[in-house]
Amino acid sequence: MPFGFVEPLFFAFNKTAIACITLAISFFKYYRKQVTKEKSVESFVRTFGRSVDALLQKNPKMARILLSIGYQMKGYQYKYFSGKMNKANRMAASVTSESMVRALRHPENSAILSLFTPPEMLHAVGINPYSCEGLGCFLSGAEAERPFFEYAESEGLPETFCSYHKAFIGAAELSLMPKPLFIISTSLACDANMLTFRRLSKYYGVPHFVIDIPYDQSEDDILYVRQQLLDMKKFIEHVSGNRIDEAVLSEKVRMSQRSLDNYYEFIKEKSDKMILSDINSEMFSCFMLHTLLGTEKTEKFTELSIDVAKNAPEKKGLRLLWMHTNPFWIKELRNITDFNEKVQIVGCDMSFESIGKYSESDPYRAMAERIVLSPFNGPATRRIDKGIEMAKMLDADGVIWFCHWGCKHTLGASQIAKKKFEHSGFPTLILDGDGADRSHGGEGQVATRVEAFIEMLEERKG
């Protein structure tokens, strides 16, 4: 078992550092014993989150170190003690955790990207990309999110602002998140993008490159974005001092295409299979197929996914398609959806969003096509139509459209989505909640509504 988590603590042996080390060792021993009692797990995570919060008030740098230790240990847990997780999901979880640890420990070689920004150019020069949505998920998973929400709202951000972005802004301005090398964002698909990354660039004092994504999907629109990606290449080379090798970039983009092709094959393969999974794994898949797209690890993840599907038993139980992010922190919901033969979440549009066939001869055009032709670009009906296509392919029994608090795009399209899905034969539950903010509550109500929806589907199917 590696012990690299101790290294960043050597420079600061004071009382705070000793407390950090003690807690980290406890964390390590805790997972080595593979504690399985749910109450013990929740209690430990809650204690960890409070410890990060307490350190944040005194020494943000030590809070950052403790958080990185926690994420590294969580990555080890996924890798070595993952319980019921299949090998593909186990890899996605551990690789995503490793990426977040690198962002905390090596900010000088990391860059903030919005979720839909093509990452291949960064991977081509060895720069670690990470997303604000990813950090928001990880902070919530560690139950360390509350002080960042409170700070962001005290600084004028509205309560209705996306909680993932709000958590990231709070973490940055409270000095938990270190200064990145630069920031790149797109106008797709979240309206919070237009505020968050401009504000972070000003706060950190780092360069910010914005890719403007046209609403339409014409040839001219693709060429317009392609030119911006060529400018993005110059931006990365200028700020980082590293030249992007065209041959390396082309291979990274080909690797992305192979990964997306593999994931599409995985979806087809599991259409008549039962794969027991957990609600967290869909979000890990999302990060693998966006921020980590164009890496060998993502390609390996998609190959493992196919292998899992080919060796899975025949399908049984109810099959649900999930649209948008999910409130993974709600225990009552996890009790319904995780590793359950009676009901499984068989797909999520955040994971299959970028699937498609793109230019083979021009890497810049391929990346431009992937953004412009995204179902998240333009009218909501494109996203809904893609969901219907996948629901048919996955042989779904029903659809859950999750209205994440603060996501106006998803909230505004909910009734149109319900009408179109149900017209296509897929009963649809519009579910309100928050993917990261526990203070919005409603855990019992969310679980009750999902249970009632499942009962209705069982009667319909029976």
Side-chain angles (χ1 to χ4, degrees), residues 251-397:
E251 176 53 28
K252 293 294 181 183
V253 175
R254 285 193 294 270
M255 195 177 292
S256 295
Q257 185 65 66
R258 292 196 297 269
S259 298
L260 295 172
D261 290 345
N262 286 342
Y263 203 76
Y264 186 65
E265 183 64 29
F266 165 62
I267 290 174
K268 291 193 295 183
E269 189 69 38
K270 71 174 179 178
S271 62
D272 60 351
K273 300 291 182 65
M274 180 184 71
I275 301 177
L276 299 184
S277 185
D278 62 303
I279 200 167
N280 277 1
S281 291
E282 288 298 335
M283 294 312 297
F284 288 130
S285 298
C286 168
F287 298 135
M288 292 293 284
L289 294 165
H290 286 87
T291 314
L292 294 169
L293 193 62
T295 64
E296 293 178 359
K297 290 183 178 179
T298 292
E299 186 172 11
K300 179 63 175 177
F301 156 70
T302 58
E303 292 169 349
L304 288 174
S305 297
I306 295 173
D307 190 48
V308 167
K310 286 183 176 180
N311 290 285
E314 291 185 7
K315 65 181 179 183
K316 66 177 180 178
L318 291 173
R319 301 166 64 84
L320 301 177
L321 176 67
W322 191 283
M323 300 292 288
H324 204 42
T325 184
N326 64 62
F328 65 90
W329 54 270
I330 298 180
K331 174 187 172 184
E332 293 85 353
L333 179 62
R334 295 200 312 270
N335 289 341
I336 299 170
T337 59
D338 290 3
F339 308 107
N340 188 350
E341 292 188 1
K342 294 183 178 180
V343 55
Q344 303 113 44
I345 294 173
V346 294
C348 174
D349 69 333
M350 298 291 288
S351 297
F352 59 66
E353 168 271 333
S354 53
I355 288 176
K357 285 288 187 181
Y358 307 111
S359 174
E360 296 181 359
S361 58
D362 180 352
Y364 298 98
R365 181 183 176 91
M367 291 184 287
E369 289 173 348
R370 196 167 71 231
I371 316 173
V372 174
L373 302 179
S374 166
F376 277 68
N377 185 31
T381 50
R382 289 177 185 161
R383 182 181 175 190
I384 297 165
D385 290 341
K386 184 69 173 182
I388 292 171
E389 175 193 339
M390 291 293 113
K392 291 177 180 178
M393 182 176 293
L394 289 162
D395 195 22
D397 296 300

